[in-house]
Amino acid sequence: MSQPGPSVASPVASRMLAEIWRALDGAPAALSSVRLAGSGALPSVFATSDLAQASVAAAGLAVAGLLEASGHGLPVVECDRRLASMWFSSSLRAQGWTPPALWDSVAGDYRTVDGWIRLHTNAPHHRAAALQVLELDAQNASREEVGRAVARWNGGELETAIVGNKGCAAEMRSREQWARHPQGMAVAAEPLVARESFDAAGTRRAVLDPARPLAGIRVLDLTRVLAGPTATRFLAGLGADVLRIDPVWWDEPGVVPEMTLGKRCAHLDLSAAQDRRQLERLLAQADVLVQGYRPQALEHLGLGAARRRALNPALVDVALDAYGWSGPWAGRRGFDSLVQMSSGIADAGMQLLGKDKPGPLPVQALDHATGYLLAAAALRGLTRREQAGEGSAYRLSLARTAQLLAAHPAQGIEPDFAAETPDDLGAAQEDTVWGPARRLRAPLQIASVPLRWDLPASPLRSASAQWR
């Protein structure tokens, strides 16, 4: 792997990795098999590159643990700091075409009477909810019109109004305000990774291919931007059969070419009885479920945790939400950029950099890091199933990952990473429906286990909702 400067492991990344591995109930001795390579950092007042390297390395260590549990020994895991950080931005390099824009035209940060607020309007129904509160035309309002309307509101009142209208917004709070907020206190009391185990009637894995450890493993993906898709993309790179399910009305054009790598994408209408029955059939035959529904959403559809366990006692059931699983905001809609505003990250960036506007992280690091932790949890669940014949359920959140980042301050100022070069790209061309593309080289090297994706990125709803 390329690595600018000396290959000296960052002490912050090492401490983060150790904390993550403890949260995943990993044996401390396994940490000695990890090599954290490279130096430099993304420009951030937080230890963003340390979080990138530690979370990617944790996923790699979970792969190594599965191999060891299957009798193949514990391989060495090497994680390149620079490439891990680059994957936290984008892995796709379009060749001769331009991917869609990442953000809606009115998404972003706005001044209020008493501070700042962020509106997340990428989904049309979220845009409509916010602009209805602001009494603006959802289709034609300009950014300037939104700014003038927002400027008449107090931040907390506007946040409450938009969220109450089923939209997505977050007032900017300081870290001290978040620490005193009921939701901040609730998140602080939660584990980084919550786990339950269930008897699975002695279920064991079949023979594992050490070069393709998830070959034959079925992963049902009920997630959308960005953390869940990051997790299932990683699992696909290990050979898993990943089937993503979306409703017919959902789209996320700005990230589909980036995030559907290695997956088949289908759709089901879960308001229809026949489609719910099909989802139950898929669940009954799955090894792993990764889902990002808000708490109680699947329960309301008759697919709650007890029903999922009844359908498939051996299931590794991995769930994500934005603001944590307890407290008054446990069911609140949220995204990485909103959690950064709520939890004090954006305010700290503004204060420490002397800016006159919110200072977010340079990448959507909460999403990507949580995604690799979700993948690591899925792998740990498969390992427990291999070792003890157990099914398991894991729960993680963006807000708890934000707490992990804030608890490990950056140590001094590190030089920026070297600029990207053609050597950073893998040799293979990815032939997508949008045009040819190449990907960054994988940030992980696991002895004898190459990360390799068998399918190019594909549009949503382009495959049938069936296992191969």
Side-chain angles (χ1 to χ4, degrees):
M1 288 187 166
S2 65
Q3 42 183 282
S7 179
V8 178
S10 160
V12 178
S14 297
R15 289 195 294 270
M16 279 188 179
L17 174 59
E19 182 172 340
I20 292 166
W21 194 237
R22 284 195 303 272
L24 291 164
D25 197 30
L31 291 164
S32 63
S33 70
V34 180
R35 308 287 182 266
L36 300 180
S39 60
L42 293 168
S44 177
V45 300
F46 288 89
T48 304
S49 288
D50 295 290
L51 180 64
Q53 189 173 34
S55 57
V56 173
L61 187 54
V63 177
L66 177 60
L67 289 168
E68 183 182 40
S70 303
H72 296 284
L74 185 70
V76 171
V77 175
E78 184 174 346
C79 182
D80 184 283
R81 180 179 179 85
R82 177 169 165 272
L83 284 171
S85 300
M86 292 166 71
W87 273 77
F88 267 44
S89 179
S90 172
S91 68
L92 179 111
R93 301 295 181 265
Q95 307 293 300
W97 56 283
T98 302
L102 290 175
W103 294 101
D104 174 67
S105 62
V106 300
D109 302 332
Y110 294 90
R111 285 190 181 274
T112 62
V113 169
D114 55 349
W116 288 87
I117 194 169
R118 184 170 184 86
L119 308 184
H120 199 291
T121 58
N122 279 4
H125 59 296
H126 292 160
R127 176 182 170 123
L131 296 190
Q132 183 180 49
V133 169
L134 294 170
E135 299 182 341
L136 296 173
D137 184 336
Q139 299 299 320
N140 301 312
S142 68
R143 192 173 186 85
E144 292 71 25
E145 289 175 307
V146 174
R148 289 192 293 270
V150 169
R152 295 193 287 269
W153 285 77
N154 289 322
E157 293 174 357
L158 182 56
E159 176 189 85
T160 298
I162 291 175
V163 170
N165 200 37
K166 299 183 178 180
C168 296
E171 178 187 18
M172 187 173 75
R173 294 171 171 83
S174 69
R175 290 176 62 188
E176 293 75 18
Q177 288 172 322
W178 181 243
R180 297 192 302 268
H181 190 280
Q183 191 58 35
M185 290 189 287
V187 170
E190 292 182 1
L192 179 62
V193 181
R195 176 180 60 83
E196 296 179 81
S197 295
F198 313 98
D199 180 65
T203 300
R204 292 290 196 277
R205 269 288 315 276
V207 177
L208 180 146
D209 177 358
R212 212 66 180 133
L214 296 190
I217 291 293
R218 291 171 167 174
V219 177
L220 188 60
D221 182 355
L222 303 183
T223 68
R224 298 187 255 288
V225 289
L226 276 174
T230 297
T232 53
R233 181 183 64 185
F234 181 80
L235 299 176
L238 298 165
D241 178 11
V242 178
L243 179 62
R244 171 172 166 158
I245 304 294
D246 288 286
V248 70
W249 49 267
W250 177 260
D251 199 8
E252 47 191 51
V255 298
V256 167
E258 173 69 28
M259 286 296 172
T260 61
L261 175 65
K263 311 173 191 181
R264 293 180 301 117
C265 302
H267 78 276
L268 290 172
D269 178 2
L270 298 186
S271 66
Q274 63 181 14
D275 281 15
R276 287 198 302 276
R277 287 193 294 271
Q278 178 59 18
L279 183 61
E280 288 196 343
R281 287 190 285 269
L282 294 172
L283 276 168
Q285 299 170 34
D287 296 284
V288 176
L289 168 68
V290 184
Q291 61 99 353
Y293 281 82
R294 290 183 298 127
Q296 305 304 313
L298 288 179
E299 279 77 0
H300 292 158
L301 291 169
L303 293 167
R307 176 59 178 161
R308 299 196 298 272
R309 286 199 295 274
L311 286 167
N312 189 344
L315 185 69
V316 179
D317 192 332
V318 184
L320 157 80
D321 86 344
Y323 280 104
W325 295 89
S326 60
W329 289 8
R332 178 173 287 215
R333 299 170 181 84
F335 297 90
D336 181 312
S337 58
L338 300 184
V339 175
Q340 288 191 45
M341 290 287 277
S342 298
S343 66
I345 288 175
D347 177 75
M350 181 177 76
Q351 302 299 334
L352 293 172
L353 294 174
K355 292 186 174 183
D356 61 355
K357 60 182 180 180
L361 302 175
V363 291
Q364 301 281 281
L366 306 183
D367 264 330
H368 287 273
T370 307
Y372 286 103
L373 299 190
L374 290 164
L379 288 156
R380 294 297 294 157
L382 290 170
T383 301
R384 293 187 68 85
R385 193 174 78 171
E386 176 73 19
Q387 292 174 322
E390 293 179 346
S392 53
Y394 293 85
R395 297 191 302 186
L396 299 90
S397 74
L398 301 182
R400 186 57 181 81
T401 301
Q403 181 177 314
L404 171 70
L405 176 62
H408 293 272
Q411 292 193 339
I413 299 175
E414 295 185 74
D416 292 346
F417 290 123
E420 183 178 320
T421 73
D423 289 340
D424 293 318
L425 302 181
Q429 177 172 289
E430 182 181 339
D431 294 318
T432 78
V433 298
W434 303 281
R438 293 176 69 190
R439 296 273 171 175
L440 288 172
R441 290 188 295 110
L444 274 175
Q445 285 187 351
I446 307 168
S448 77
V449 186
L451 278 172
R452 185 183 78 247
W453 289 268
D454 299 325
L455 299 173
S458 62
L460 302 185
R461 295 175 290 277
S462 57
S464 60
Q466 295 179 339
W467 295 117
R468 289 187 290 194

